[in-house]
């Protein structure tokens, strides 16, 4: 019997959640994703030390330009190792500023194009605040495709679909963490709240025929991955990919597609904010995620100061 990884690839596109070039070369995923936390880890790796020194000299007085240049340089290296796309994240500190997020995305795309990477191979990652969704909507209308991240609520998922976002990243593991901390229950299988969240979003999108891709993210164990076989995409850490490659056992699609229904009326800003606010887990985890990415962005800037 083939490995669990090979079986998973038959039903789901595998995306590597790392900035480690060696891991990407070894695992050969379709796509790859980065964020400030992963870039900070990548910055400690030997292959990037000369690049960091070069960027320091070029952007000594502009930390924003330095970190954006590093993100694009890492992404440009990664995209040479994969057949698909690289996701590069906008500074999390811009999460509540639509115009600033939009302008940062344009800078990243321009930098990629200057490095010889066409925009069709880049996804701009943006935190799924209301402002982030509106920035993504503008970008999508210009042919710049986006990956809306830190998805914890149905309100976020619905707003993204209605905005025509290319792809969303619901965070399975962080949802699981929140519920486990409060209940003391180590959720397994289909009872996992993170798994249930992705399943609901997937079914909603298929039911209403939204083309937005669902990419489950932030996994804590391969059991969560096994419950989401058949999801459009899954972005998985190298450690969990290697566990899947080492194990055998039958994997079958777990997600079902319900009967089609007419789309509901578009969500207003007020409806979005209220629905998201009513979900305590989503409210806390979105705010926490933005803070964590912002903190790692500041640490990344310190490397270039």
């Amino acid at each position: 019997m083939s490995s669990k990884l090979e079986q998973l690839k038959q039903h789901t596109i595998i995306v590597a959640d790392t900035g480690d070039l060696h891991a990407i070369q070894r695992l050969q995923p379709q796509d790859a994703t980065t964020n400030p936390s992963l870039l900070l880890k990548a910055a400690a790796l030997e292959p990037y030390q000369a690049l960091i020194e070069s960027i320091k000299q070029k952007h000594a007085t502009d930390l924003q330009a330095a970190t954006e240049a590093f993100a694009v340089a890492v992404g440009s290296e990664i995209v040479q190792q994969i057949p698909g796309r690289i996701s590069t994240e906008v500074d999390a500190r811009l999460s509540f500023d639509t115009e600033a997020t939009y302008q940062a995305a344009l800078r990243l795309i321009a930098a990629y194009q200057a490095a010889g990477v066409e925009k069709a191979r880049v996804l701009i990652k943006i935190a799924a605040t209301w402002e982030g969704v509106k920035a993504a909507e503008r970008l999508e209308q210009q042919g710049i495709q986006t990956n809306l991240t830190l998805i914890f609520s149905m309100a976020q998922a619905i707003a993204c679909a209605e905005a025509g976002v290319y792809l969303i990243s619901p965070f399975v593991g962080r949802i699981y963490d929140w519920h486990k901390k409060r209940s003391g229950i180590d959720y397994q299988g289909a009872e996992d709240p993170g798994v249930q969240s992705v399943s609901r979003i997937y079914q909603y999108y298929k039911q209403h025929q939204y083309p937005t891709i669902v990419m489950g993210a932030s996994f804590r164990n391969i059991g969560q991955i096994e419950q989401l076989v058949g999801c459009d995409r899954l972005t998985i850490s190298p450690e969990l990919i290697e566990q899947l490659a080492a194990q055998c056992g039958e994997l079958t699609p777990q997600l079902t597609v319900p009967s089609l229904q007419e789309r509901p009326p578009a969500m207003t800003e007020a409806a979005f904010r209220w629905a998201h606010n009513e979900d305590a887990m989503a409210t806390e985890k979105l705010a926490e995620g933005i803070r964590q990415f912002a903190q790692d962005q500041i640490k990344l800037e310190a490397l270039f100061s």
Side-chain angles (χ1 to χ4, degrees):
M1 178 180 290
S2 60
S3 71
K4 289 182 177 180
L5 179 61
E6 291 306 313
Q7 293 178 68
L8 180 60
K9 287 180 177 179
Q10 295 174 18
H11 305 289
T12 297
I13 293 176
I14 304 299
V15 179
D17 198 15
T18 181
D20 184 342
L21 277 175
H22 294 308
I24 290 168
Q25 291 167 349
R26 183 175 70 253
L27 300 170
Q28 298 183 330
Q30 172 71 21
D31 295 347
T33 61
T34 62
N35 60 43
S37 304
L38 293 175
L39 289 175
L40 189 61
K41 290 180 181 179
L45 301 176
E46 192 278 331
Y48 293 122
Q49 299 313 303
L51 172 63
I52 290 172
E53 291 304 316
S54 174
I55 292 174
K56 276 184 181 181
Q57 295 175 18
K58 186 176 180 180
H59 300 290
T61 60
D62 189 341
L63 296 181
Q64 179 188 68
T67 53
E68 289 180 356
F70 181 66
V72 170
V74 172
S76 298
E77 290 286 336
I78 290 173
V79 88
Q80 295 178 37
Q81 309 297 328
I82 59 175
R85 297 172 177 239
I86 179 68
S87 288
T88 297
E89 192 152 347
V90 168
D91 188 336
R93 292 170 294 184
L94 306 179
S95 296
F96 302 102
D97 189 329
T98 298
E99 182 63 25
T101 296
Y102 174 76
Q103 293 298 332
L106 295 183
R107 289 196 303 272
L108 290 171
I109 290 296
Y112 267 114
Q113 291 176 323
V117 179
E118 57 189 51
K119 68 179 181 180
R121 299 200 64 194
V122 180
L123 294 179
I124 299 297
K125 282 182 79 173
I126 300 171
T129 58
W130 179 260
E131 294 80 3
V133 171
K134 293 294 106 177
E137 186 172 36
R138 289 175 63 186
L139 292 165
E140 294 282 354
Q141 290 168 355
Q142 294 191 34
I144 297 172
Q145 294 184 312
T146 57
N147 170 355
L148 270 287
T149 189
L150 295 174
I151 300 283
F152 299 104
S153 71
M154 276 301 298
Q156 290 174 291
I158 292 170
C160 288
E162 292 177 350
V165 164
Y166 178 77
L167 179 150
I168 65 166
S169 298
F171 276 35
V172 177
R174 297 193 193 189
I175 295 174
Y176 160 85
D177 293 342
W178 191 91
H179 286 280
K180 180 183 178 181
K181 182 178 179 180
R182 280 150 185 79
S183 69
I185 299 172
D186 184 11
Y187 298 95
Q188 301 293 321
E191 300 302 312
D192 188 315
V195 169
Q196 292 175 352
S197 177
V198 176
S199 298
R200 282 195 301 271
I201 293 169
Y202 178 88
Q203 291 173 343
Y204 183 89
Y205 279 14
K206 305 309 176 188
Q207 185 176 50
H208 297 293
Q209 294 184 290
Y210 286 110
T212 299
I213 292 166
V214 180
M215 183 172 73
S218 173
F219 292 103
R220 298 293 179 256
N221 54 68
I222 63 172
Q224 293 172 331
I225 296 168
E226 292 172 354
Q227 289 296 318
L228 292 173
V229 175
C231 190
D232 299 327
R233 301 186 190 189
L234 299 175
T235 181
I236 308 172
S237 69
E239 294 78 14
L240 291 180
I241 291 177
E242 288 170 344
Q243 286 184 37
L244 288 164
Q247 293 187 16
C248 293
E250 186 177 1
L251 291 187
T252 57
Q254 299 296 308
L255 301 184
T256 58
V257 178
S259 57
L260 301 182
Q261 291 186 11
E262 185 177 347
R263 291 180 183 178
M267 179 177 287
T268 63
E269 179 180 352
F272 167 86
R273 294 193 185 280
W274 180 255
H276 184 75
N277 183 73
E278 285 294 277
D279 187 330
M281 176 277 298
T283 303
E284 291 178 24
K285 297 307 286 186
L286 174 60
E288 177 187 84
I290 290 172
R291 286 196 300 269
Q292 288 177 342
F293 283 158
Q295 288 164 7
D296 284 340
Q297 182 72 24
I298 292 169
K299 292 176 183 177
L300 192 61
E301 288 179 352
L303 297 178
F304 296 95
S305 63

